[in-house]
Amino acid sequence: MQRRHFLSAALAAPIAGPLATAATAAAGLAAPAVVRAQGALTPLKFTLDFRVTSQTSPFFLALAQGYYKDEGLDVSIDVGAGSVASITRVASGAYDLGLGDISSLVEFHAQNPDTPVQAIYQYYNRAPFVIIGRKDRGITTDFQSLKGKKVAAAAVEATRRCWPMVARALKTPPELFDWVTTDFSARDNVMVRGDVDAATYFHDSAVSLFARVPPKDLSVLEYGKAGLNLYGNAVLGGKLVQERPELAQAFLRASNRALRETLAQPDAAFAAIKAREPILNMEVERERWGITRRYLATAETQSIGLGAVQPAVLAQQIDEVAAVFNLARKPAADRVFNPALLPAVADRKVAAA
């Protein structure tokens, strides 16, 4: 398969010093303290990776419950255009923070070594990347059953872009099947009509397909079961992290608080997204969240807490991205992920889903 780059080369201001310097500076921020508003709240713009669903309901819970206001923040949340596009939104300065794919961030760093964009909270501890195929087209849970098939995917999509890493892990050619480029909104339709044999999805986004095609008639091929340990979408920060780290830290405290509450009891978070998007089918959103939480709260997060990464696992992911995409330069793990602003470990501990 011919290598393609889907990231634009949006340049931003240079990062101020190495990560060690950022961590030292952050240590003086009095992490347990709450940034209370003194008069006017500080506005922050946050972009989602996609539309409003239960996948990102904790952020709306934090908004609805006033957790951001408690931290002195006036947070606005906008829908996204994909988990890759969020990176350029933050890099351009159009948004202070965003939710974007960390593998794509690795490539962005290789192309733009002076970018200030970093992951500061690992939201999806494991990437929910899957290919879902029709059993009546001979597709099973064996990736080799995709040989010669047609697989639909959007052009700018993390699941599609990471396929070569799966092929590498499986020791199979990345040209195992043929890509059919389609829009996110048309993906379910081409699957239902049978125009394609399979399609890429975030596992939790596939509930829309499951509502139209009985799950018993579909095979779910999980990237994680191919031997890859990939971190997924993370909260990204740009210039804000260097210029006003206390604001990014406050955002993470409020968001982490809401995430823990949603993992324990999601009803209030569901009410928050329903208020934002009244058209949502909440039965579908409950099913979606049941899948999402499995990728947020994992065995690893039991050990290291929500939002964190294991350096060795991230380093391996960077190696995979660098090898598959033949990157001219390989960014260091501490340039891609900055742990300095994370809430205290005790505040990030939850049981695995």
Side-chain angles (χ1 to χ4, degrees):
M1 181 174 64
Q2 184 178 2
R3 178 172 176 260
R4 298 179 64 186
H5 288 293
F6 299 117
L7 292 171
S8 65
L11 294 173
I15 189 167
L19 177 60
T21 303
T24 303
L29 292 175
V34 175
V35 181
R36 297 289 180 184
Q38 301 294 326
L41 301 174
T42 301
L44 284 185
K45 293 186 65 179
F46 176 62
T47 177
L48 299 177
D49 51 346
F50 202 40
R51 58 178 180 263
V52 178
T53 69
S54 60
Q55 292 162 298
T56 50
S57 58
F59 299 105
F60 293 95
L61 177 65
L63 196 62
Q65 296 291 87
Y67 297 161
Y68 293 130
K69 286 185 177 180
D70 288 346
E71 296 283 357
L73 305 176
D74 177 16
V75 174
S76 60
I77 303 177
D78 290 339
V79 297
S83 56
V84 178
S86 296
I87 298 170
T88 52
R89 284 186 172 190
V90 174
S92 70
Y95 286 84
D96 301 298
L97 300 160
L99 198 61
D101 176 55
I102 200 165
S103 290
S104 299
L105 180 62
V106 171
E107 185 180 356
F108 189 79
H109 268 269
Q111 296 171 350
N112 305 277
D114 293 329
T115 181
V117 182
Q118 293 180 301
I120 57 175
Y121 187 102
Q122 190 58 51
Y123 187 66
Y124 277 91
N125 180 263
R126 286 295 180 266
F129 300 159
V130 299
I131 294 176
I132 298 181
R134 295 174 52 130
K135 289 183 179 178
D136 64 358
R137 299 294 177 83
I139 297 175
T140 69
T141 54
D142 182 349
F143 281 94
Q144 293 302 322
S145 67
L146 293 170
K147 186 174 182 178
K149 303 298 186 182
K150 296 179 180 179
V151 180
V156 182
E157 182 190 4
T159 309
R160 175 175 180 165
R161 295 189 62 260
C162 288
W163 161 250
M165 286 190 274
V166 180
R168 176 183 164 93
L170 295 172
K171 296 181 172 57
T172 193
E175 303 86 3
L176 183 67
F177 51 78
D178 296 322
W179 289 112
V180 176
T181 300
T182 188
D183 189 73
F184 286 113
S185 61
R187 185 168 45 188
D188 289 354
N189 291 335
V190 296
M191 278 287 285
V192 171
R193 289 197 305 262
D195 298 342
V196 296
D197 307 299
T200 60
Y201 284 88
F202 270 33
H203 195 173
D204 39 10
S205 293
V207 293
S208 57
L209 177 64
F210 298 155
R212 299 176 63 183
V213 180
K216 67 179 179 62
D217 295 335
L218 299 168
S219 294
V220 178
L221 297 90
E222 300 180 30
Y223 282 20
K225 291 184 178 178
L228 286 177
N229 288 317
L230 297 178
Y231 292 116
N233 285 3
V235 176
L236 312 176
K239 292 180 181 179
L240 183 75
V241 174
Q242 285 75 49
E243 297 173 359
R244 298 293 303 277
E246 74 281 4
L247 299 180
Q249 190 176 42
F251 177 88
L252 294 185
R253 276 198 300 269
S255 300
N256 179 77
R257 177 183 176 186
L259 175 55
R260 291 184 72 191
E261 291 180 7
T262 306
L263 288 168
Q265 173 50 258
D267 286 348
F270 292 163
I273 58 170
K274 183 68 172 178
R276 172 70 177 254
E277 294 288 351
I279 197 173
L280 289 175
N281 181 326
M282 297 316 295
E283 289 186 12
V284 171
E285 294 311 318
R286 285 184 181 278
E287 182 182 358
R288 190 193 310 275
W289 178 252
I291 300 173
T292 298
R293 71 190 316 275
R294 289 163 38 195
Y295 292 93
L296 305 185
T298 68
E300 184 177 289
T301 56
Q302 271 190 298
S303 172
I304 65 176
L306 296 168
V309 300
Q310 290 185 323
V313 175
L314 178 59
Q316 178 61 37
Q317 184 166 348
I318 293 172
D319 287 344
E320 288 286 342
V321 174
V324 166
F325 293 106
N326 193 28
L327 300 184
R329 52 175 74 86
K330 184 171 68 174
D334 62 357
R335 286 285 291 115
V336 175
F337 186 87
N338 180 354
L341 306 181
L342 288 173
V345 175
D347 294 331
R348 295 185 286 106
K349 285 298 185 73
V350 293

